[in-house]
Structures are given as C-alpha cells and as structure tokens.
Amino acid sequence: MALISIDNERNLLIVEIQGLDKLWALKSRLEVPLGNVRGATHDPGIARESKGIRVAGTHMPGVVTAGRFRRQGEWLFWDVKNPEKAVVVELADAETYDRLVVEVDDPRATVALVERSLPRGD
C-alpha cells in the first residue's frame, strides 16, 4: 500500500510506499513535481490489463504487482495487492514514469487530494 501526500512548499506529489511493499517494489518513496501530474483516477479495472514487462520488482498474479514495468512505450510504477483500492496517477513530462498505479487506503479521498492540488491554468 502507498500513502500519497502533497508538499505544497516544494510543489511535490509524494508517494510513500508502506511496509513490505518497499521490498516488493524496490522503492520506498517517489517524488513528482505537481506540474508533471495530469490527474488521478480510481481504477480497479486496471489490474486486469497487461502489466507489460517487469523491469524491477515483483509480479505474482492475483497476489501483488509492485515495481517498475514497461508497457507499450510507457514506464509504469505499480504497488497493488487489492485492485479495488487502485489509484492511477497520470504524469506528463516526467523523468521516470508515465503512470503510477498504487493501492491506497481511501481511493476517493486520494483522488480528491491530487485533483485539488493540481496547478490550474487561467
């Protein structure tokens, strides 16, 4: 599971990987400039899609998908055990990932937090 927060002072979206998921994902923390975040959605169905090629991490179908994957030219970071709590964060112009697919405790609240924090063009 992951904890998503916003650092308003540094203008960052922060993803903290929790518990043993750090081991499965080979990551403990991701930081993404808010200017590179396009949006977030609660998407339980994404777990049924192809994960792509595992580059680093763990994939045990039906148990856990965690780490870095490459699919159709995109880099994805996964940390999901329970697809019903999966949130997808779409990134643009990011240096490392195109999408973050993470399990969170409260998907609706997480999506609302991310959407509220996005820079608004006037």
Side-chain angles (χ1 to χ4, degrees):
M1 182 164 314
L3 176 63
I4 294 180
S5 62
I6 304 298
D7 181 335
N8 288 315
E9 286 184 21
R10 297 183 348 183
N11 220 20
L12 294 174
L13 176 128
I14 298 171
V15 180
E16 293 275 354
I17 309 305
Q18 305 291 299
L20 285 176
D21 288 15
K22 294 176 189 179
L23 177 65
W24 311 137
L26 303 175
K27 269 292 179 216
S28 60
R29 180 181 174 101
L30 300 166
E31 294 183 352
V32 179
L34 283 174
N36 291 6
V37 177
R38 292 175 46 202
T41 56
H42 175 212
D43 187 358
I46 197 163
R48 291 188 296 276
E49 295 179 13
S50 167
K51 310 305 181 269
I53 298 169
R54 180 173 42 100
V55 177
T58 305
H59 178 59
M60 292 183 275
V63 178
V64 64
T65 303
R68 188 173 190 184
F69 291 75
R70 180 90 169 151
R71 182 181 76 182
Q72 299 175 349
E74 286 188 319
W75 287 104
L76 294 93
F77 176 82
W78 281 81
D79 181 27
V80 176
K81 288 184 272 188
N82 179 356
E84 293 303 313
K85 294 186 173 193
V87 168
V88 179
V89 179
E90 296 282 340
L91 306 175
D93 303 322
E95 296 149 12
T96 308
Y97 299 105
D98 298 293
R99 290 184 193 194
L100 309 177
V101 184
V102 294
E103 176 185 341
V104 296
D105 188 43
D106 186 342
R108 289 179 191 220
T110 300
V111 168
L113 171 70
V114 172
E115 292 296 321
R116 262 192 328 265
S117 303
L118 294 179
R120 303 288 175 216
D122 293 328

